[in-house]
Amino acid sequence: MAGRAADAEGSLRTLQELVDRLYTFRDHYLETHGVEAAGRKAQDVRKEMELALQQMEEMGSSVQAQPLALMLTGKALNVTPDYSPRAEELLSKAVKLEPGLVEAWNQLGEVYWKKGDLAAAHTCFSGALTHCKNKVSLQNLSMVLRQLRAESGDEHTRHVVDSVRQAKLAVQMDVHDGRSWYILGNAYLSLFFNSGQNPKVSQQALNAYAHAEKVDRTASCNPDLHLNRATLYKYEENYAEALQGFSQAAVLDPAWPEPQRREQQLLDFLERLTSLLDSKGKVKTKKLQNMLGSLRPAHLGPCGDGRYQAASGQKMTLERKALSALRPGANSGAVALGKVLFSLTTEEKVPFTFGLADSEGPCYAVTVYNMAQSWGVLIGDSVAIPEPHLRLHHIQYKGKAFSFPSLRVETPLLLVVNGKLQGCSSQAAATVAYRPQSE
């Protein structure tokens, strides 16, 4: 009897080693095979899974019926990104036979997630935490909360805030777990785009991604991390870093078209923008002179008559400055006024980009964030920008160079168009696409 128990224990140990080896093969694939093998990873992992399952089958039916063995077999089937009905069957059986088997609950939650049943996945991860507080359930709960269906924007924001909380708890349980830091970065990224684009939150996301790479070298091989961070860089107009991030994500997962699409999309935007800036929107010389000659102090609206309210709450008259007289960074106490020469639409809609010029120099790019889809400015509109923030871009990438000045405006509520402030209906929260499925 004791001998049979020892044999069973030995068999379970062997099963555990097989599954551990399988996951190590997947998670460290690029380290052991090199980035040039990235395109073969999915195929090689599947082969390794089939080999492991074949060896597991040879262990004997008496062992395979045990909850731990059912869980391990289900986990092996769960190593690929695809939904496996067989994994669902085995893991469901495992949790029925042993409800306290936390890893089985976590694996079953992942199966439901792949199946598209987010509510069931949420139940599994929450249920696992009632049995034992563990970082894997917290990580998974953080991810699934951001994807749960919400009846309103407020409910979705609550889910995102809770997602950050769960990710923080996972990090606290093990500060050396790169996956926890990566998931926290994604939670902050989602919070950033759901709560008014607070620069502090954006920095927290970048810090979390940096920590993930610092504590876990496999994080640098994660294409999702590079794409999500590049998305944030693009929004912050760190275009060179964004392009590099999209490119690296494409190298790490050649079969995933999204990074290449985003990289090309950004390159197209920069090429179109610089071309329009250089040609001043292709507006003919006489028309351009008439447009710029029609700028009037009245177009400054509240920025020119003492009604402008600074961040301190103090009302003041701003000093009108030519675009060419602005300095990089914030130009406190100043206002720029110019004519719209073109607008540039992109697939993502955010930001709204237009060209602004006055009579004293080149055309400047203006990027406006958090605007309602119905908001925009027209060619010939007069636009005043109070306390404008100037950035001089110099981007060199894959043999291409882009240099241009830009003014970033966080909300259309800050702008004065044709002498008038913009109403509340002009503003809307930004949304962003990032890749959460395989965190």
Side-chain angles (χ1 to χ4, degrees), residues 181-182 185-190 192-193 202-214 216-249 252 256 262 266 432-435:
W181 281 109
Y182 164 61
N186 283 354
Y188 277 133
L189 175 68
S190 190
F192 178 74
F193 287 106
S202 138
Q203 193 54 53
Q204 286 172 314
L206 291 173
N207 288 345
Y209 289 141
H211 260 101
E213 290 185 306
K214 184 179 176 183
D216 180 3
R217 59 185 180 175
T218 61
S220 296
C221 298
N222 181 351
D224 307 285
L225 184 150
H226 289 283
L227 180 119
N228 292 344
R229 181 165 54 193
T231 300
L232 193 55
Y233 280 143
K234 179 184 174 184
Y235 187 88
E236 293 195 329
E237 298 183 10
N238 294 328
Y239 296 123
E241 291 92 333
L243 288 165
Q244 287 160 8
F246 291 139
S247 177
Q248 186 62 12
L252 293 169
W256 183 25
R262 299 266 192 105
L266 181 49
V432 69
Y434 69 104
R435 192 190 196 193

Side-chain angles (χ1 to χ4, degrees), residues 79-154:
V79 76
T80 69
D82 309 315
Y83 163 69
S84 165
R86 176 69 176 148
E88 180 182 348
E89 179 192 340
L90 293 171
L91 293 163
S92 298
K93 199 177 287 185
V95 296
K96 280 176 189 169
L97 290 170
E98 194 174 324
L101 194 55
V102 168
E103 193 173 4
W105 282 112
N106 284 332
Q107 288 294 325
L108 183 58
E110 287 193 31
V111 168
Y112 283 132
W113 195 339
K114 292 171 185 178
K115 191 180 183 181
D117 191 343
L118 296 178
H122 182 272
T123 300
C124 287
F125 301 139
S126 301
L129 287 167
T130 63
H131 291 289
C132 171
K133 185 179 175 184
N134 68 96
K135 66 182 180 183
V136 175
S137 298
L138 291 167
Q139 291 167 351
N140 290 340
L141 194 56
S142 173
M143 291 189 289
V144 83
L145 277 164
R146 297 197 298 278
Q147 295 183 63
L148 275 180
R149 186 178 172 185
E151 297 300 322
S152 66
D154 285 347

Side-chain angles (χ1 to χ4, degrees), residues 9 23 26 32 40 53 78 80 91 106 130 150 164 168 177 188 194 236 245 262 287 289 292 326 340 350 390 413 430:
E9 197 175 311
Y23 274 76
R26 182 194 71 178
T32 55
R40 300 200 311 270
L53 288 168
N78 218 11
T80 69
L91 293 163
N106 284 332
T130 63
V164 172
K168 280 182 176 177
D177 187 316
Y188 277 133
N194 280 279
E236 293 195 329
R262 299 266 192 105
K287 184 180 179 183
Q289 288 172 345
L292 298 179
L326 298 176
V340 177
V350 178
L390 172 65
L413 297 177

Side-chain angles (χ1 to χ4, degrees), residues 385-405:
I385 305 175
E387 303 192 293
H389 192 283
L390 172 65
R391 185 162 179 181
L392 302 175
H393 296 276
H394 300 288
I395 304 149
Q396 288 192 317
Y397 183 74
K398 292 186 177 177
K400 296 182 179 182
F402 308 97
S403 293
F404 60 95

